[in-house]
Amino acid sequence: MGIGSRYQTVLEDVASQARFCGRAPEDVCLVAVSKTVGLEGVASALEAGAKDFGENRPDQLVEKASAFPSARWHFIGNIQSRRIPDIVSAAFLIHSLYQESHALKIDEAARALGKVQDVLIEVNVSGEESKSGVSPHEALAFARLCAGLENVRVRGLMTMAPQGDAETARACFEGLRDLANAIRAALPAEKAAVFSELSMGMSEDWHEAISSGATIVRIGRAIFSDNFEDEDTAC
Ligand SMILES: *Cc1c(COP(=O)(O)O)cnc(C)c1O
C-alpha cells in the first residue's frame, strides 16, 4: 500500500471510530503528520484527499506550506522564539503553545501580519518529565492570559499520551477533556464559544482519543510509513 491508500484507510477508520462512539465523522479532523516525508509524500496524501497536515519543524512547515498553499498547515513541534514569525506566517493552527513569552511573541507576529493566530495550549497531563506543556493546574491561568491577547485566538487544548497501554492513554485523554470542560466553564462566553478543540491521539492511540472526545487526531506513521504495522508487532 502507498501513502494515498493508507491515508484513505486511516480516514475511513477514523470516521468509523467516530460513528462507533456516537459522534459525527466530520467532528474529528484528521491531521496527516508529514514530518518524515518530502514534498512528494505530501502530494500523494493531497491527491488522496488530505486537507490538513502537521509539521514539527519551522523550515519544513514554511517550505511545504508554500509548495501546497491550499492545504491547512498545523504546527505541532517545539516553538523556538526566533522562529515564531515564520511559524505564524505559515500556520493555520499552532498546537504546542505553553510559554507566556511565546504567546506574547505570537500575538506580536500575528499583528504584524494582520492575522489572528489560532492556537492550542499544550498540557502535560501525564506529568512525565520528557513531555512539554503547562501542568493541568496552570492551564486555566495560561488560557486566560492567551485569551486576553488581541491577535491570538485560543481554540482548545493539546496533549501527548505516555507510551504504553490503551488504558494509560485513555486516562490521559479523559484528563485533557475534563480540563478543557473546566476551562471552558471559567472563560467569558465569547472566549468559551471558540474554545472547542481537543488535539489528542497519534498512530498508536487515536482510537482511545476519539472515544475520549478528540476533535483533532495527529497521525503520522500509520499514513506515511511503509512498515507501521511491522513496527507495531516488533515491540
Ligand atoms: C510525530 C508527531 C505525531 C504523529 O505521530 P505518529 O506516531 O507518527 O502518528 C503527532 N503529534 C506530534 C506532536 C508529533 O510530534
Side-chain angles (χ1 to χ4, degrees):
M1 259 209 284
I3 290 172
S5 34
R6 282 195 302 266
Y7 172 79
Q8 274 162 352
T9 304
V10 170
L11 183 69
E12 282 162 25
D13 291 351
V14 163
S16 35
Q17 176 70 358
R19 280 190 214 97
F20 177 74
C21 301
R23 305 184 52 203
E26 57 273 21
D27 291 348
V28 183
C29 173
L30 169 56
V31 172
V33 176
S34 50
K35 65 191 182 190
T36 58
V37 298
L39 296 177
E40 281 171 33
V42 172
S44 306
L46 262 178
E47 265 167 49
K51 296 180 185 67
D52 290 85
F53 291 86
E55 287 290 332
N56 65 346
R57 304 204 177 243
D59 288 337
Q60 290 285 307
L61 176 83
V62 168
E63 185 194 343
K64 289 170 177 163
S66 53
F68 303 105
S70 66
R72 302 195 293 196
W73 291 91
H74 297 247
F75 188 74
I76 62 172
N78 190 38
I79 299 175
Q80 290 169 289
S81 208
R82 64 187 176 84
R83 303 310 306 273
I84 284 174
D86 291 329
I87 295 169
V88 171
S89 74
F92 169 72
L93 177 64
I94 298 174
H95 292 230
S96 42
L97 174 62
Y98 61 92
Q99 287 185 34
E100 178 171 348
S101 63
H102 293 164
L104 301 177
K105 287 215 168 93
I106 289 171
D107 183 48
E108 193 183 307
R111 187 170 313 110
L113 290 164
K115 88 185 257 200
V116 175
Q117 179 65 58
D118 281 341
V119 302
L120 303 177
I121 293 169
E122 182 169 357
V123 184
N124 186 354
V125 177
S126 66
E128 285 177 296
E129 270 187 39
S130 61
K131 295 261 185 312
S132 311
V134 293
S135 68
H137 73 269
E138 296 165 328
L140 173 59
F142 189 60
R144 282 201 169 111
L145 179 137
C146 297
L149 301 171
E150 240 176 84
N151 291 70
V152 169
R153 185 162 45 217
V154 189
R155 301 303 315 276
L157 303 180
M158 179 273 224
T159 200
M160 289 172 78
Q163 288 201 319
D165 56 63
E167 282 322 301
T168 312
R170 188 187 301 279
C172 172
F173 296 148
E174 290 179 350
L176 193 75
R177 177 197 62 201
D178 295 347
L179 182 62
N181 287 339
I183 292 174
R184 196 176 302 113
L187 287 175
E190 164 211 350
K191 306 290 181 186
V194 296
F195 190 89
S196 53
E197 305 293 340
L198 281 175
S199 169
M200 53 191 197
M202 318 193 337
S203 292
E204 310 264 8
D205 54 20
W206 61 263
H207 290 85
E208 289 76 25
I210 291 177
S211 64
S212 309
T215 63
I216 303 174
V217 290
R218 311 177 308 270
I219 301 184
R221 286 172 299 150
I223 297 170
F224 292 104
S225 167
D226 286 331
N227 49 16
F228 171 66
E229 296 294 338
D230 303 345
E231 281 172 37
D232 225 12
T233 48
C235 321

